[in-house]
C-alpha cells in the first residue's frame, strides 16, 4: 500500500548546490503535481503534469525543473538551491476526472538551504 | 488572480461545534476541497463540494455557495485530536490543480 512515495524526507543543502526530490506513485494516476508549503502561506503549486511527457508550470515555478518520462515518476529538480527554497515540498497524484477523493499527497520532504 | 481567505486561528472547547469559513475569488471553479493537516504531516482529505449546499460526513460537514464565493467547514462534537490546520482549496477548471488558502489553525481545549 505505497500510494505516493517521496524521498528524501529531510535534506540540508548549501546555497548553489543542486538536488532532485523524488516522487513515485503506484496507482497509475495520470495527474501529478508538486507543491511547496511555507509558514502562513498554504500550499502553492510549483509544477504539474497530466501524463507522461507533458508538464506545465504552476504558480511558483522559478528555480525548479520537472520531467515526466514515466507515468509513475515525477522528480523535482533544484538547479541551484537558494535559501528562499527552504520549504516543505509535497507531491500529489490523482487520476483523470473529477472525483474528489482521488488527490493523494505524499508525506512531504523538508528542505533547508543554508 | 486567485485569492482564498480563511481565518488564521480559532480556539474551541472539546465537545463544542466550530465553523471555519472560507471565501474565494478564482479565475475558474470546479470544486472546493477541505483538508486537515496535523503538524509535520501531509494534508488529508476531508470533504468536497462542487454544487451549492451541504455535504455531511460524520462529525464533519461542508457547505458551498458558488454565487457568494463562500464555503464553511463545520466540526461537531470536537475532540482533542481535531486540533490541526484546516486548508480550503479550490480546483481550477483545468485538470486537478488546486489553489490553497493559508489554512486555519484550530486549537481544541479541554
Amino acid at each position: 500500500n505505497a500510494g505516493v512515495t517521496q524521498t528524501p524526507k529531510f535534506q540540508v543543502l548549501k546555497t548553489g548546490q543542486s538536488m532532485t526530490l523524488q516522487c513515485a506513485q503506484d496507482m497509475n494516476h495520470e495527474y501529478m503535481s508538486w507543491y511547496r508549503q511555507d509558514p502562513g502561506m498554504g500550499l502553492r503549486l510549483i509544477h504539474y503534469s497530466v501524463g507522461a511527457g507533458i508538464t506545465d508550470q504552476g504558480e511558483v515555478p522559478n528555480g525548479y525543473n520537472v520531467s515526466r518520462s514515466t507515468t509513475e515518476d515525477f522528480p523535482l529538480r533544484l538547479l541551484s538551491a537558494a535559501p528562499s527554497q527552504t520549504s516543505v515540498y509535497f507531491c500529489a497524484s490523482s487520476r483523470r476526472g473529477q472525483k474528489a477523493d482521488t488527490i493523494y499527497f505524499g508525506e512531504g520532504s523538508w528542505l533547508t538551504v543554508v | 488572480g486567485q485569492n482564498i481567505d480563511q481565518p488564521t486561528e480559532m480556539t474551541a472547547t472539546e465537545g463544542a461545534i466550530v465553523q471555519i469559513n472560507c471565501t474565494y475569488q478564482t479565475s475558474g471553479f470546479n470544486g472546493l476541497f477541505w483538508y486537515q493537516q496535523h503538524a509535520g504531516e501531509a494534508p488529508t482529505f476531508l470533504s468536497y463540494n462542487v454544487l451549492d449546499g451541504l455535504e455531511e460526513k460524520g462529525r464533519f460537514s461542508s457547505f458551498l455557495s458558488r454565487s457568494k464565493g463562500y464555503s464553511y467547514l463545520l466540526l461537531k462534537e470536537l475532540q482533542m485530536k481535531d486540533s490541526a490546520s484546516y486548508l480550503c482549496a479550490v480546483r481550477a477548471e483545468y485538470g486537478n490543480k488546486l489553489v490553497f488558502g493559508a489554512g486555519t489553525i484550530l486549537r481544541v481545549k479541554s
Side-chain angles (χ1 to χ4, degrees), chain A:
Chain A
N1 187 25
V4 180
T5 303
Q6 286 183 235
T7 56
K9 180 94 172 174
F10 301 98
Q11 183 73 49
V12 178
L13 281 180
K14 293 183 179 178
T15 297
Q17 286 185 319
S18 63
M19 78 156 298
T20 300
L21 298 178
Q22 302 290 346
C23 176
Q25 52 90 10
D26 61 359
M27 298 171 283
N28 204 32
H29 285 169
E30 293 89 352
Y31 296 156
M32 296 187 76
S33 312
W34 276 103
Y35 293 87
R36 60 176 289 174
Q37 185 174 32
D38 301 296
M41 299 190 70
L43 280 80
R44 292 181 292 169
L45 183 66
I46 304 172
H47 281 288
Y48 180 77
S49 172
V50 298
I54 306 171
T55 63
D56 193 8
Q57 294 183 349
E59 181 185 353
V60 288
N62 292 340
Y64 307 95
N65 275 359
V66 291
S67 59
R68 185 93 181 271
S69 56
T70 66
T71 300
E72 295 78 19
D73 300 301
F74 192 43
L76 179 72
R77 280 181 285 276
L78 284 71
L79 303 176
S80 178
S84 61
Q85 294 177 302
T86 294
S87 188
V88 184
Y89 292 85
F90 289 100
C91 179
S93 77
S94 59
R95 59 177 179 260
R96 193 191 310 274
Q98 300 191 10
K99 284 207 162 192
D101 59 356
T102 61
I103 301 177
Y104 299 89
F105 283 88
E107 293 187 346
S109 296
W110 274 254
L111 177 66
T112 301
V113 182
V114 298

Side-chain angles (χ1 to χ4, degrees), chain B:
Chain B
Q2 322 274 41
N3 191 47
I4 299 179
D5 288 317
Q6 314 176 224
T8 303
E9 294 183 18
M10 300 182 71
T11 301
T13 304
E14 193 175 15
I17 299 173
V18 71
Q19 178 175 312
I20 302 174
N21 295 325
C22 171
T23 59
Y24 64 90
Q25 291 177 310
T26 55
S27 55
F29 181 84
N30 197 19
L32 187 143
F33 293 78
W34 283 96
Y35 284 87
Q36 181 190 61
Q37 186 178 29
H38 286 100
E41 297 182 7
T44 54
F45 170 78
L46 288 179
S47 70
Y48 170 70
N49 297 72
V50 65
L51 300 176
D52 291 350
L54 188 68
E55 294 283 342
E56 297 187 80
K57 197 181 277 190
R59 294 191 299 116
F60 296 84
S61 304
S62 57
F63 172 83
L64 174 67
S65 169
R66 289 171 296 170
S67 62
K68 296 182 178 178
Y70 168 70
S71 174
Y72 67 72
L73 179 69
L74 194 71
L75 292 77
K76 303 174 187 174
E77 302 170 11
L78 279 175
Q79 302 174 10
M80 298 301 289
K81 68 178 182 179
D82 296 330
S83 293
S85 182
Y86 291 85
L87 310 177
C88 174
V90 172
R91 177 161 58 191
E93 290 183 357
Y94 172 72
N96 275 335
K97 295 187 283 189
L98 299 179
V99 180
F100 282 85
T104 299
I105 297 172
L106 174 65
R107 295 188 175 86
V108 180
K109 60 181 183 179
S110 57

